[in-house]
Amino acid sequence: MKSENVVFVGGPLDGRVLPVLTGPTGQPPKQYKVPVPGPDGETLLVYNREPKRRRGSRLGMARGWRYVHDPEGRVQRRRWPWRRPERA
């Protein structure tokens, strides 16, 4: 399997560059979940994938990805088009 070095922004992994396995399309997963053990049990840190912006890029296209910490820790579920929308 291939891997890609991805930058983490925010949270405890801020500034770290970690190798993340890519899927069959060559992209890393949309969410990266990190379980952290603690005295009260396991805490789940959630990072969401965003395109990495490069300054000075001629076309403004993203080259690569970065993960941004979600402090609320919402885990996104896969949404199928034939299911009812979730209520807020």
Side-chain angles (χ1 to χ4, degrees):
M1 296 219 55
K2 285 186 165 185
S3 66
E4 182 179 328
N5 290 332
V6 181
V7 178
F8 286 80
V9 178
L13 295 178
D14 189 25
R16 293 193 187 185
V17 178
L18 299 175
V20 176
L21 292 176
T22 58
T25 60
Q27 296 181 355
K30 289 184 181 180
Q31 284 192 328
Y32 193 79
K33 295 170 240 150
V34 182
V36 178
D40 300 335
E42 221 174 59
T43 306
L44 191 66
L45 300 175
V46 178
Y47 288 85
N48 294 317
R49 183 184 74 186
E50 287 185 357
K52 184 168 42 169
R53 302 282 181 215
R54 297 184 87 194
R55 292 184 204 144
S57 174
R58 208 176 270 183
L59 299 175
M61 308 249 332
R63 298 188 100 200
W65 302 97
R66 69 181 189 163
Y67 282 107
V68 179
H69 182 251
D70 185 5
E72 296 177 10
R74 292 178 303 219
V75 177
Q76 295 175 351
R77 305 268 183 231
R78 185 174 282 163
R79 291 189 181 170
W80 300 102
W82 55 85
R83 307 291 313 261
R84 281 190 235 162
E86 291 183 19
R87 295 185 183 197

